[in-house]
Amino acid sequence: MKPSLRLLCSVLLTAFALSGCAEQILDSASKDPAPSVTSGEESTANTIAKFSTSEGLAPQPSDVVLANVNAALPPESQLKGISRLMPIRIPFSAPLGNLYHDNGSWNSTAGDQLKENLLIISTDNFFGSLGGLVNFDNQRISPIPAHDSHSSFPDGQFKVVYQDENHDLVLVPNSGTFEDNTTYIVVVKSNLGDAQDNPLSPDILTIILTSPDPIVVDGKIVNTLVRELVGDESDGGIADATVYDNLRADYSGIIQGFCT
């Protein structure tokens, strides 16, 4: 594993497919879209990039949100994608570096740190890069407001970028930021850091979904963390564990692509 890629793969990865419709997910996703994780995670001294928490938060848009929303909907109402205009929300357990100065102007230093450590790229561009020299600088969607051009990356492609009072990093896209019928990968590097310049840590579900090891083998849950997470369900958790294993296969495949 190349050192420059180790950090890229270490914290949080989410993928989402855009369909240009299904705004109803904005309402559905607010109703506890992700399962709780095992206890103790919230009390850690490190800042965590959250994929699932006891509050039911998850990066939105994301496959985890879609899977949980669809599980509660009849087949004819299930969603195949989300709106390309839906803001990306990435929960953290504590503040990141201030993106704005006290006078409201953009903090270019913090902005450059964000651009270096938050990768947004379509799977078309990502998979087209595998097998050769990976250079995402001209392919990535720069996670900064469109008015900022102080960077070696292309100008920002979002209306606004901020961290709210709940420590969610929110990126509001412009109409041309994302394309319909396209899947995008979002990766947060651990050295994005928090307000105290400490590196970020992954939460438990991130560790599960990016693992190369299967969750279900021969109809049995072999991952101890997942068994603790879903084992109290009426079917022993096998249905949810299978959903997570399918997601894990996709996510870990992407991770291995970055890290090989």
Side-chain angles (χ1 to χ4, degrees):
M1 179 185 293
K2 299 182 179 68
S4 60
L5 296 181
R6 181 180 299 111
L7 292 176
L8 184 69
C9 304
S10 63
V11 177
L12 173 68
L13 183 145
T14 183
F16 53 94
L18 300 180
S19 65
C21 60
E23 280 80 0
Q24 73 186 88
I25 196 170
L26 287 169
D27 295 325
S28 301
S30 66
K31 301 174 183 177
D32 196 17
S36 297
V37 295
T38 52
S39 62
E41 182 176 275
E42 302 303 326
S43 62
T44 180
N46 297 329
T47 296
I48 299 173
K50 300 181 178 182
F51 212 136
S52 172
T53 75
S54 58
E55 307 99 284
L57 298 177
Q60 297 177 9
S62 81
D63 291 333
V64 172
V65 172
L66 285 173
N68 282 270
V69 170
N70 281 339
L73 295 173
E76 65 273 13
S77 301
Q78 291 187 0
L79 308 177
K80 295 182 180 179
I82 50 82
S83 172
R84 63 186 176 85
L85 299 178
M86 183 176 176
I88 297 174
R89 305 183 71 92
I90 304 175
F92 294 88
S93 65
L96 304 175
N98 291 329
L99 292 173
Y100 295 88
H101 296 294
D102 291 341
N103 63 4
S105 63
W106 180 253
N107 183 341
S108 295
T109 300
D112 283 345
Q113 180 79 354
L114 183 67
K115 285 175 281 194
E116 289 286 350
N117 296 293
L118 179 62
L119 171 67
I120 306 173
I121 190 170
S122 76
T123 52
D124 292 342
N125 287 333
F126 170 74
F127 288 114
S129 298
L130 295 183
L133 179 63
V134 178
N135 183 355
F136 294 120
D137 285 0
N138 296 323
Q139 302 170 348
R140 61 193 295 179
I141 297 174
S142 189
I144 58 172
H147 61 75
D148 181 63
S149 60
H150 181 70
S151 172
S152 57
F153 297 124
D155 290 355
Q157 298 173 48
F158 290 88
K159 288 182 180 179
V160 64
V161 178
Y162 65 97
Q163 192 175 24
D164 67 15
E165 65 276 10
N166 296 318
H167 311 313
D168 286 10
L169 180 64
V170 183
L171 301 97
V172 182
N174 283 303
S175 59
T177 303
F178 299 120
E179 297 181 3
D180 284 345
N181 302 308
T182 304
T183 299
Y184 292 86
I185 301 166
V186 180
V187 179
V188 180
K189 299 182 184 182
S190 62
N191 61 340
L192 172 60
D194 60 16
Q196 286 72 46
D197 293 326
N198 298 315
L200 303 175
S201 299
D203 72 359
I204 292 171
L205 189 55
T206 303
I207 295 171
I208 291 170
L209 292 181
T210 56
S211 171
D213 300 320
I215 295 171
V216 177
V217 176
D218 296 331
K220 296 181 179 180
I221 303 174
V222 296
N223 185 296
T224 302
L225 293 175
V226 175
R227 191 183 304 115
E228 293 177 355
L229 188 66
V230 300
D232 292 337
E233 297 175 6
S234 58
D235 65 348
I238 190 65
D240 279 344
T242 300
V243 170
Y244 296 144
D245 206 10
N246 291 335
L247 290 172
R248 180 207 59 78
D250 290 338
Y251 283 123
S252 64
I254 293 171
I255 287 291
Q256 295 307 310
F258 276 121
C259 296
T260 53

